[in-house]
Amino acid sequence: MSTQPAAERETVLIRSARDVTELVNSGAARGSHAKMIVLLALGGIFLDAYDLTSLAYGITQIREEFGLSPAGAGAVTASISIGAILGAWLGGVLVDRLGRYRVFMADMLFFVVSAIGCALAPNAEVLIVFRFLMGIGVGMDIPVAMAFLAEFSRLRGKGSKGSRTASWSPAWYVATSGCYLVILALYFLLPDSQHDLLWRFTVGFGAVPAIVILLVRNKYMNESPSWAANQGDLERAARILRDSYGVNAVVAEDAERPKREPGSRASLHQFRTLFARRFRPRTVQALAVALAQTFSYNAVAYGLPIIIASLLGQGDLSTISASLVLNLVFAVTGGLLGMRLANSAGAWRMTFWGFAVQLTALVVLAVIGDPSSTAWVLLALFALGGFMFAQGGGPGANFMNFASLSYPTELRGTGIGFNQGTLRVGSTLSLFFFPVLSASFGTGVFWVIAAAPLLGMVALLAKRWEPVGYDADAVEHEYQQRLATPEPARG
């Protein structure tokens, strides 16, 4: 942020909500606090991924400690997704109604309480309850984090909306890798007799980054200026531009004021707007892409320790190490590539080819089945790595672009929340049924999972919609102006 006093910088007059959005989209508004808000939003994504991954390895210990059946283990694993469904649907509306800042802070409190509650759970029932509460926090966080990433970024170029919304992917995989690093560290720190407590320490550690974010919120976090302006509070939007961007923004005396009270338009009725004629095709496609990628990713990523253990036939240390390497070497690398290519290649192309690579990898895994030699084991591990790489750079990085950049500011939270809540229905089904399907079909389950990327490719071919570089606010502004302009009388 500029160190020049506000009074000495050039004054920027704000006459409408559109002026605020254009200022951010053009890249003219830059500031260190705005970059910190982006990093903190990514911190929320980090927590989402960490909390969702924290039991991927520990589910075996939990099953043994609480004497769970496969269905009981599925309930423990899926409880967080059930909470995330409700959290995303409700959180998306709250993000548009109450603002990004308030919902984000509430998320952090959810993460702290639920992480500690899971770590201290005396039985499976209590664990399920706190995992459910953790899921509500995760569900609420995705809409607010993605809204922050989109609304504190320029439209094109370096640090654009496309690249920053895609940056959620490497942040996610860094978190999953970090989770395995925590597990690995605890594996060596704890005596062998206490390895059954690994999952408790791992889950409880998730409260630490949330506490850090809460401690720094007063210095850096702020509301989205675009959201404040769209709610009619131009003075607040100008203040945020001054505080977070260093822009000497002043509201003009002749400024346009929306004919509504702050927060009055954001309600459950917003869900119907997602299926209005101008939004329906992109809403359906974004949802189809999200469902396809989440079903295959959850089945592979959250079942990764089980898959690796069956391939390697080794102990816990080999399973943890292989999971960590696959995430760091393949998934994080793919996510960074997807973020870098988001602007030049576009979300559609990256997502389509990502699905194609995933389909190939899953077919290879299905054909290999139970590897009978070291060469086949290495090929199977490479196919898993290829799947994770394609996920990170393709649908994993870009499905959020479809959900986040297809809607204007006043509808963005609801759009992301609807997408996230609904896709987590598929996520919950995959998390619940994967242990059952894996036990029934063995490696043949890869044929079932392969249907997901195939359907994702079909959904993309149905409509070649490119959200990266699309100015949804400008298009919506023009649409509203046309509605407000009376048609000329016909003679």
Side-chain angles (χ1 to χ4, degrees):
M1 185 166 60
S2 174
T3 57
Q4 186 180 11
E8 298 178 9
R9 294 195 296 271
E10 181 181 354
T11 300
V12 177
L13 290 179
I14 303 298
R15 290 187 170 87
S16 67
R18 182 65 193 144
D19 289 344
V20 175
T21 304
E22 287 181 347
L23 194 62
V24 176
N25 284 350
S26 66
R30 302 179 183 180
S32 59
H33 279 209
K35 293 178 181 178
M36 279 300 301
I37 290 173
V38 169
L39 289 176
L40 289 172
L42 288 174
I45 298 294
F46 181 97
L47 281 168
D48 296 342
Y50 183 93
D51 287 338
L52 284 168
T53 310
S54 58
L55 285 189
Y57 169 78
I59 190 62
T60 301
Q61 284 71 38
I62 292 171
R63 183 186 303 167
E64 294 175 356
E65 180 176 342
F66 298 135
L68 299 177
S69 64
V76 170
T77 307
S79 58
I80 191 170
S81 287
I82 296 174
I85 293 170
L86 300 177
W89 283 338
L90 177 61
V93 174
L94 292 178
V95 164
D96 286 338
R97 186 175 184 83
L98 302 179
R100 284 58 167 141
Y101 177 85
R102 291 180 181 177
V103 177
F104 187 77
M105 289 300 105
D107 289 338
M108 297 304 107
L109 290 174
F110 263 101
F111 287 136
V112 172
V113 173
S114 58
I116 295 174
C118 287
L120 300 177
N123 51 54
E125 290 75 17
V126 172
L127 179 60
I128 289 173
V129 169
F130 278 105
R131 288 284 286 179
F132 173 79
L133 294 177
M134 184 180 286
I136 291 179
V138 169
M140 293 174 65
D141 183 69
I142 293 291
V144 68
M146 300 310 299
F148 270 132
L149 293 177
E151 293 164 17
F152 276 87
S153 306
R154 62 198 303 173
L155 186 63
R156 298 179 181 89
K158 185 178 180 181
S160 68
K161 297 180 187 297
S163 61
R164 281 187 172 170
T165 51
S167 69
W168 90 281
S169 180
W172 186 278
Y173 294 116
V174 167
T176 56
S177 301
C179 184
Y180 284 115
L181 279 173
V182 170
I183 296 172
L184 192 62
L186 290 171
Y187 182 90
F188 288 108
L189 290 174
L190 292 175
D192 292 345
S193 60
Q194 295 183 13
H195 276 183
D196 58 338
L197 298 178
L198 268 174
W199 71 270
R200 293 186 181 272
F201 285 101
T202 304
V203 173
F205 186 80
V208 175
I211 293 172
V212 172
I213 292 176
L214 285 171
L215 291 176
V216 302
R217 72 187 188 280
N218 289 333
K219 184 175 182 180
Y220 295 109
M221 284 304 292
N222 215 331
E223 184 55 78
S224 160
S226 298
W227 179 84
N230 272 276
Q231 297 304 303
D233 196 346
L234 296 181
E235 284 76 14
R236 186 182 184 189
R239 185 170 64 252
I240 296 168
L241 289 172
R242 292 193 297 270
D243 294 342
S244 295
Y245 285 100
V247 175
N248 192 19
V250 177
V251 179
E253 294 183 1
D254 60 343
E256 300 175 10
R257 303 286 178 174
K259 298 178 181 179
R260 63 179 185 271
E261 294 297 322
S264 61
R265 285 193 62 183
S267 67
L268 293 176
H269 296 293
Q270 292 260 100
F271 286 119
R272 292 187 300 183
T273 307
L274 298 177
F275 292 91
R277 184 177 180 181
R278 63 190 187 280
F279 295 125
R280 187 188 307 122
R282 65 190 75 162
T283 296
V284 173
Q285 186 179 60
L287 183 58
V289 169
L291 285 170
Q293 71 83 31
T294 198
F295 185 86
S296 59
Y297 171 72
N298 282 332
V300 173
Y302 298 142
L304 193 59
I306 300 174
I307 295 170
I308 292 174
S310 64
L311 289 175
L312 298 180
Q314 300 294 318
D316 291 341
L317 182 59
S318 297
T319 300
I320 297 170
S321 301
S323 299
L324 174 60
V325 169
L326 284 172
N327 272 281
L328 279 177
V329 175
F330 292 97
V332 173
T333 303
L336 291 172
L337 181 65
M339 180 179 69
R340 185 171 183 81
L341 296 180
N343 283 314
S344 58
W348 190 96
R349 184 182 301 174
M350 293 294 291
T351 305
F352 182 86
W353 287 110
F355 275 138
V357 173
Q358 286 185 324
L359 176 61
T360 303
L362 290 168
V363 169
V364 169
L365 287 167
V367 170
I368 291 175
D370 293 317
S372 56
S373 66
T374 302
W376 288 114
V377 169
L378 291 176
L379 180 59
L381 289 174
F382 183 79
L384 274 175
F387 179 95
M388 300 296 287
F389 179 84
Q391 174 71 13
N398 290 285
F399 88 93
M400 283 293 191
N401 278 329
F402 286 92
S404 305
L405 305 183
S406 297
Y407 308 107
T409 298
E410 64 186 37
L411 193 62
R412 180 168 290 119
T414 304
I416 300 171
F418 171 78
N419 182 276
Q420 279 290 304
T422 307
L423 78 85
R424 290 193 183 280
V425 174
S427 172
T428 302
L429 291 174
S430 63
L431 288 172
F432 183 83
F433 285 111
F434 178 79
V436 178
L437 291 173
S438 181
S440 301
F441 297 103
T443 56
V445 73
F446 290 117
W447 289 114
V448 178
I449 302 172
L454 179 61
L455 292 175
M457 294 171 69
V458 172
L460 287 169
L461 290 172
K463 178 178 177 62
R464 187 155 185 163
W465 159 251
E466 181 53 68
V468 174
Y470 177 75
D471 192 343
D473 287 292
V475 174
E476 183 66 10
H477 178 70
E478 293 174 1
Y479 174 80
Q480 296 298 336
Q481 280 192 323
R482 289 198 302 270
L483 289 181
T485 303
E487 295 184 4
R490 298 182 180 179

